[in-house]
């Protein structure tokens, strides 16, 4: 395993060489994807690019080798995603990869049965299957567990009814990780996590919502109309949805912005190329370095078995805010042409703004940090 700053010697040199080779392949793939035109339709998931990401292992970085993954720890995984984000202009693709890996595949590995692993996890790693995390609802706001979607027990499983929104990858998904409640009055103790095929009778997935940033990440609504799922669809213990959610958010909140850390470094380099004032370039370099060190410190702590809730919120807040500042600086340095809707600098700036909203807004991160410090 690499050291927290990514530069130290590894105790397992073979694993270290393999990880570094994967990191190099990720950076090269990012450059290749960026050089290829997306055509007139810039929105939607680039399935060909997704397949190539899966082929080099990006869809299974933290998943065990026995399930088709790479078996990496958090630190080595974020180093790969950071390298990919530094060279890949499709921020939506990088976000979609992280959303599946951290909020679907990781909890599935932790809580899934051998049968669920065989049915879903192998496909998620190979790229044959796409997964979506379905928690947010139109009326839930920032209270993630104010769920209206119900899971009614039946003789042989569950009946699901309700709707979800802002589900990353849903328009392309094969399997949905759905959170529903058996009894709203019981709060989080009644919440279930269930694996639902996207083509199951009663499931309707709406076309992708048009978003200002991350156009390469398909985000959509899911409608569940008395959907019957077997008892084997339950992920984790009965009423254990909170544990599944906490596990997925523990991964996602801290790691999903790893590609953005790479984008911060790329933004600083771009400012140097454009001849921006030394003070602006220097500030961008500082933001990039701080973001990288914080990300790596958090991932290293996770690999040591430490709780990283506070660090994850700090990383999410610091990286998102720093990315927007750097993206704004690049946009200004590029000149008038950067204002065009399809200009790279304009797209990157919108992606950066979006990063301050998904996986918990800036305000949510501040609230979480306050609670973690014992404040109310």
């Amino acid at each position: 395993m690499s050291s927290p700053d990514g530069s130290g010697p590894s105790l397992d040199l073979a694993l270290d060489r393999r990880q570094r080779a994967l990191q190099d392949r990720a950076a090269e793939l990012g450059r290749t994807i960026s050089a290829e035109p997306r055509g007139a339709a810039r929105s939607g998931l680039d399935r060909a690019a997704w397949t190539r990401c899966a082929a080099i292992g990006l869809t299974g970085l933290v998943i065990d080798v026995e399930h088709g993954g790479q078996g990496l720890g958090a630190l080595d995984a974020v180093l790969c995603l950071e390298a990919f984000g530094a060279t890949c202009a499709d921020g939506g693709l990088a976000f979609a990869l992280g959303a599946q890996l951290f909020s679907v595949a990781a909890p599935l590995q932790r809580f899934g049965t051998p049968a669920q692993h065989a049915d879903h996890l192998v496909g998620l790693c190979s790229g044959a299957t796409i997964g979506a995390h379905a928690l947010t609802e139109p009326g839930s706001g920032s209270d993630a567990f104010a769920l209206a979607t119900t899971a009614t027990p039946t003789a042989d499983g569950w009946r699901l009814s309700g709707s979800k929104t802002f589900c990353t990858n849903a328009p392309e998904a094969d399997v949905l990780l759905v959170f529903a409640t058996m009894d709203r009055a019981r709060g989080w103790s009644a919440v279930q996590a269930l694996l639902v095929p996207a083509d199951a009778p009663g499931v309707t997935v709406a076309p992708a919502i048009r978003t200002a940033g991350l156009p390469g990440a398909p985000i959509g609504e899911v409608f569940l109309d008395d959907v019957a799922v077997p008892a084997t669809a339950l992920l984790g213990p009965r009423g254990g949805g909170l544990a599944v959610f906490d596990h997925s958010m523990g991964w996602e909140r801290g790691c999903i912005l790893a590609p953005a850390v790479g984008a911060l470094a790329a933004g600083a380099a771009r400012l140097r190329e454009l001849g921006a004032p030394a003070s602006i370039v220097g500030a961008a370099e500082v933001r990039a370095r701080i973001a990288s060190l914080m990300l790596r410190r958090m991932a290293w702590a996770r690999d040591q078995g430490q709780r990283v809730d506070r660090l994850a919120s700090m990383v999410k807040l610091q990286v998102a805010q720093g990315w927007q500042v750097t993206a704004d600086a690049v946009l200004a340095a590029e000149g008038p042409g950067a204002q065009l809707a399809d200009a790279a600098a304009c797209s990157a700036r919108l992606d950066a703004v979006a990063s301050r909203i998904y996986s918990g807004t800036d305000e949510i991160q501040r609230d979480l940090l306050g609670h973690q410090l014992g404040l109310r």
Side-chain angles (χ1 to χ4, degrees):
M1 181 184 297
S2 302
S3 61
D5 66 358
S7 62
S10 170
L11 295 178
D12 185 340
L13 296 179
L15 177 61
D16 188 63
R17 284 194 294 269
R18 182 170 70 84
Q19 189 278 335
R20 290 180 185 277
L22 178 56
Q23 189 175 333
D24 290 341
R25 289 198 298 273
E28 182 57 34
L29 178 57
R31 280 187 286 269
T32 300
I33 292 171
S34 297
E36 296 173 350
R38 287 292 307 271
R42 294 181 56 83
S43 62
L45 186 67
D46 186 337
R47 292 299 292 263
W50 181 279
T51 299
R52 284 184 286 176
C53 289
I56 69 168
L58 295 186
T59 49
L61 290 172
V62 298
I63 306 303
D64 292 342
V65 174
E66 65 185 279
H67 304 310
Q70 298 299 307
L72 299 180
L75 177 55
D76 287 332
V78 299
L79 290 176
C80 288
L81 292 173
E82 187 178 333
F84 184 69
T87 60
C88 183
D90 190 344
L93 172 64
F95 176 64
L97 287 167
Q100 174 177 289
L101 178 61
F102 299 124
S103 65
V104 182
L108 176 55
Q109 173 167 258
R110 168 65 178 81
F111 295 96
T113 64
Q116 289 171 333
H117 291 162
D119 289 344
H120 304 293
L121 194 54
V122 173
L124 291 171
C125 289
S126 72
T129 300
I130 292 180
H133 184 273
L135 173 72
T136 303
E137 297 183 355
S140 64
S142 61
D143 185 357
F145 281 93
L147 298 180
T149 298
T150 57
T152 304
T154 65
D156 57 356
W158 310 88
R159 290 273 180 179
L160 304 179
S161 294
S163 63
K164 303 291 181 177
T165 191
F166 299 121
C167 303
T168 304
N169 293 336
E172 299 281 347
D174 303 290
V175 62
L176 307 166
L177 177 53
V178 175
F179 292 82
T181 182
M182 294 183 290
D183 182 357
R184 295 189 72 182
R186 289 170 52 194
W188 58 263
S189 66
V191 173
Q192 309 278 67
L194 301 114
L195 295 164
V196 181
D199 61 356
V203 176
T204 301
V205 181
I209 299 169
R210 186 176 180 183
T211 58
L214 304 171
I219 297 174
E221 296 176 292
V222 176
F223 302 93
L224 306 160
D225 183 11
D226 198 30
V227 179
V229 295
T232 54
L234 184 65
L235 182 64
R238 186 184 178 98
L242 178 64
V244 176
F245 173 77
D246 280 347
H247 186 80
S248 65
M249 286 300 101
W251 274 107
E252 181 181 310
R253 186 171 291 127
C255 300
I256 200 167
L257 281 184
V261 173
L264 268 165
R270 182 59 179 159
L271 287 169
R272 289 197 303 273
E273 293 175 2
L274 293 169
S279 60
I280 293 177
V281 175
E285 292 282 4
V286 169
R287 286 190 295 272
R289 187 58 174 166
I290 289 174
S292 183
L293 289 173
M294 288 183 67
L295 174 70
R296 296 172 189 211
R297 175 64 179 83
M298 181 279 304
W300 177 84
R302 184 180 185 89
D303 286 338
Q304 306 312 303
Q306 300 174 17
R307 286 194 64 89
V308 296
D309 305 37
R310 187 184 305 178
L311 283 172
S313 289
M314 289 179 177
V315 167
K316 173 66 169 61
L317 193 61
Q318 180 69 31
V319 175
Q321 292 182 341
W323 190 17
Q324 183 176 342
V325 174
T326 293
D328 284 345
V330 173
L331 190 68
E334 290 277 6
Q339 303 298 322
L340 299 176
D342 61 348
C346 184
S347 298
R349 199 268 178 184
L350 292 173
D351 289 351
V353 171
S355 75
R356 300 182 64 176
I357 300 171
Y358 58 68
S359 300
T361 64
D362 287 0
E363 191 60 32
I364 291 295
Q365 304 309 322
R366 295 188 187 98
D367 284 345
L368 288 170
L369 286 168
H371 293 320
Q372 291 155 9
L373 291 170
L375 305 175
R376 294 293 183 266

